Amino acid sequence: MMSQRVVRWYVLLVGAGLLLEGGGLLVAERLGLSPGSLATDTGHNLLHVAWGLALLLTVVLRQTAWAALIFGGFYFTLGVLGVVLTNPFGLQLGPGENAFHFIVGPLALGLGWWAVRSSSANSASTSAAGVGGGASGLPAR
């Protein structure tokens, strides 16, 4: 199904990106390297690593639609909290981080919803066609 493929690729790319970005910044921080204009926020970097690993695991387990919904809801909420609160959960969230959360969160929500809805519609049509053994749903004679 196309929706499943699209959400799988999205989750794979975001998961790999979060893992590489968060992990790279943790290594740079540990080595005492200045990542330029990026503030070092160990908690935020660990959050990216954890989400990256979790998303990559869902690709392997083929559970990307629900993972996208959960991830999208979390990141959208984190974006909202980053705008209305100072340092939610102790994370240093500036305008760049909030913008990122407002982009990847709603996109993940939309793709996850599309994939779950497509999967549910496909399951319902397959179940209806299989009732009674005939393609019309009537008992076979």
Side-chain angles (χ1 to χ4, degrees):
M1 222 189 300
M2 182 170 173
S3 61
Q4 293 293 333
R5 267 194 310 262
V6 171
V7 78
R8 189 174 303 121
W9 275 105
Y10 179 77
V11 168
L12 177 66
L13 291 172
V14 170
L18 287 172
L19 180 59
L20 290 172
E21 183 265 350
L25 288 174
L26 286 171
V27 169
E29 180 183 346
R30 184 80 173 140
L31 295 175
L33 303 174
S34 174
S37 63
L38 299 173
T40 55
D41 181 356
T42 302
H44 197 194
N45 295 335
L46 287 171
L47 182 68
H48 282 199
V49 168
W51 270 110
L53 289 170
L55 291 176
L56 293 175
L57 180 62
T58 67
V59 171
V60 172
L61 298 176
R62 297 190 174 270
Q63 298 297 320
T64 53
W66 284 103
L69 284 171
I70 294 166
F71 168 80
F74 180 86
Y75 265 64
F76 177 74
T77 302
L78 191 57
V80 170
L81 292 175
V83 169
V84 297
L85 301 175
T86 303
N87 299 334
F89 309 114
L91 303 176
Q92 299 170 15
L93 304 180
E97 289 87 0
N98 292 328
F100 173 76
H101 298 149
F102 279 127
I103 292 168
V104 298
L107 188 53
L109 278 171
L111 290 172
W113 177 79
W114 177 41
V116 167
R117 187 168 179 246
S118 297
S119 178
S120 296
N122 189 36
S123 295
S125 66
T126 303
S127 296
V131 172
S136 67
L138 299 174
R141 294 185 190 235

